Amino acid sequence: LKTGYAAAELINYKKDGTPFLNRIVLIPVVSQCAHGTRLTNTVGILDGTPLSGAIMMTSMDSQHYVHQPHRSLPMPPYPMHNPHGPALGNLGFDMLPSQAAPLSVTLDYMAYSSEPLILTDSIGRICSANKPWVDLCGYTCAEIEGRTCSILQGEETDQREVEALNTKIRKGERAEATVVNYKKGNRRFLNNVTILPLQSPGSGGAPDASFFIARLKEVGA
């Protein structure tokens, strides 16, 4: 909890003694102060799944998810059982901003998607990345905790393109560009990135999105 981010999957018990798999995600709440930003609180999201299906939700590749004390950034696992039914299967990337759904739905969508996806908070810090993103970029979840997507920038990254993306993000708008990025080990690739603002439930579609989800697509070297 040192950074405000944490995640875990635990077997918990309801009042009647029924066991269930509880996916817990903790997200920091920050406020502006004279010295920048500071952690003021933490929001917890709990997502319970019946244990009968949950035992299938453990196919997390240990070489991609590195658990360390206080470094438990969530990478959504790949469940074989879909606890949200056909609605999640019919959900597309471009539909996410219109959902104003709980963050757990976005995390579940990331888990089922074959596309590289990364979730950031309103000030750009990485909250979660899915397995295809880890496979593409080469970083473990522990390595990107508390970082921003600038971790993928390098010598040939066009900062004008980056600033154009950031301008749209600050306005809470959809942003897309093709930029030179770098995988772990300074391996160059051409990245077509699409960034969508995610509204919190009850925000009424206000432009100050709470989170942003980005989709990466390698289109060249």
Side-chain angles (χ1 to χ4, degrees), residues 33-78:
C33 64
H35 303 290
T37 60
R38 66 185 182 91
L39 179 66
T40 58
N41 213 327
T42 302
V43 175
I45 301 169
L46 279 65
D47 188 8
T49 302
L51 195 57
S52 58
I55 57 174
M56 300 181 182
M57 299 177 65
T58 57
S59 57
M60 188 178 293
D61 191 335
S62 60
Q63 73 174 357
H64 293 119
Y65 185 86
V66 180
H67 176 77
Q68 300 173 9
H70 304 299
R71 300 186 63 81
S72 50
L73 189 69
M75 179 172 73
Y78 278 81

Side-chain angles (χ1 to χ4, degrees), residues 101-181:
L103 188 59
S104 60
V105 173
T106 298
L107 291 171
D108 281 335
Y109 175 81
M110 292 173 67
Y112 281 94
S113 178
S114 61
E115 298 178 306
L117 301 172
I118 191 164
L119 183 74
T120 67
D121 64 15
S122 59
I123 61 174
R125 292 178 303 188
I126 297 170
C127 300
S128 182
N130 68 353
K131 185 175 182 294
W133 188 96
V134 170
D135 289 339
L136 173 64
C137 299
Y139 292 98
T140 66
C141 286
E143 289 172 320
I144 62 174
E145 181 184 7
R147 305 286 296 273
T148 69
C149 291
S150 63
I151 194 173
L152 299 180
Q153 295 179 24
E155 182 180 356
E156 296 182 45
T157 304
D158 188 338
Q159 292 303 315
R160 293 170 297 181
E161 291 282 3
V162 173
E163 182 55 32
L165 286 171
N166 288 335
T167 297
K168 289 190 174 183
I169 290 170
R170 286 191 290 268
K171 294 179 180 179
E173 298 175 354
R174 184 184 192 274
E176 182 175 358
T178 298
V179 296
V180 173
N181 278 156

Side-chain angles (χ1 to χ4, degrees), residues 8-15 17-24 46 48-49 51:
E9 292 188 348
L10 305 171
I11 295 180
N12 286 155
Y13 294 84
K14 300 180 180 180
K15 184 177 181 180
T18 303
F20 67 99
L21 183 71
N22 191 9
R23 295 175 62 191
I24 304 170
L46 279 65
T49 302
L51 195 57

Side-chain angles (χ1 to χ4, degrees), residues 177-189:
T178 298
V179 296
V180 173
N181 278 156
Y182 293 83
K183 305 175 184 181
K184 185 177 180 179
N186 203 37
R187 293 172 292 152
R188 182 186 187 276
F189 75 107

